[in-house]
Amino acid sequence: MSKFVRACTPLDEESLPWERYREESPLAFEGFVAYRSLPRVDRSVRAAYLAKQGSHGLPTNSSEDRAPTGWYRWADRFKWKERVLAFDSANERRDSEAEADERVRSRRLRRAVLVSALRKAGNDLPTVDFSKSSASDLAKFLEVVVRQLREEYDETPTQKVALGGLRTESGVDIPIVITQSQSKV
């Protein structure tokens, strides 16, 4: 380890690793921020220096595009690699949590829409004008809504058992089928 590397402490006890250290000068911290702001695949002290200088256009073999030695000392002393890994991990956690929250909100909305559609269909059933739509269309609609609700609640049937059926006054047989769900509830 270099003689320039010493233990560094955050500004206060609640500071996060990617925030400024007490011993870190504002200029050194600006260098770290430039480093932290780079895409992962492009992160290097040299690239951070060039970004800070606004010198993206220099040829890669130019001796002018190498970062000053002080920048490498800052990166070493103030643990830029470790701090930026903590920064990236925190951002990934935040993004994953936000995505999970969005999935939960979306699932709740889908369930509410499906339950509302099922209730509306049940309430409107006595007044359905079958001259405008067939009983078959209504049955398909209800089947789709019920299937979607079962999937939303992870209650997809795993087995169907026929119990028999009913015969209507007009002589149409209506089968009665129960299903066993994979749900543990």
Side-chain angles (χ1 to χ4, degrees), residues 61-163:
N61 60 357
S62 170
S63 61
E64 300 170 12
D65 69 350
R66 180 157 162 69
T69 306
W71 276 64
Y72 292 96
R73 287 183 185 150
W74 289 340
D76 203 25
R77 178 174 181 208
F78 298 116
K79 303 175 184 128
W80 285 8
K81 286 182 182 179
E82 294 88 346
R83 290 166 70 192
V84 82
L85 286 173
F87 178 77
D88 290 342
S89 293
N91 284 336
E92 286 171 5
R93 265 191 316 279
R94 182 201 63 217
D95 293 347
S96 292
E97 289 168 4
E99 186 177 322
D101 289 346
E102 179 58 33
R103 259 190 256 123
V104 167
R105 283 191 298 276
S106 182
R107 183 180 307 125
R108 285 182 184 145
L109 178 61
R110 283 192 313 272
R111 287 176 177 177
V113 167
L114 290 167
V115 167
S116 177
L118 189 59
R119 284 188 184 135
K120 179 148 179 53
N123 290 338
D124 292 349
L125 189 58
T127 61
V128 171
D129 181 0
F130 287 106
S131 64
K132 294 180 181 173
S133 62
S134 70
S136 172
D137 290 339
L138 179 62
K140 287 177 187 173
F141 169 77
L142 291 173
E143 181 183 0
V144 168
V145 169
V146 168
R147 186 177 338 114
Q148 291 294 320
L149 272 171
R150 283 181 170 161
E151 287 177 14
E152 284 296 323
Y153 287 102
D154 197 23
E155 295 177 346
T156 305
T158 57
Q159 183 179 21
K160 292 184 178 184
V161 179
L163 294 180

Side-chain angles (χ1 to χ4, degrees), residues 42-53:
D42 297 334
R43 276 192 193 133
S44 68
V45 174
R46 177 188 160 278
Y49 175 75
L50 292 175
K52 182 80 173 104
Q53 301 305 313

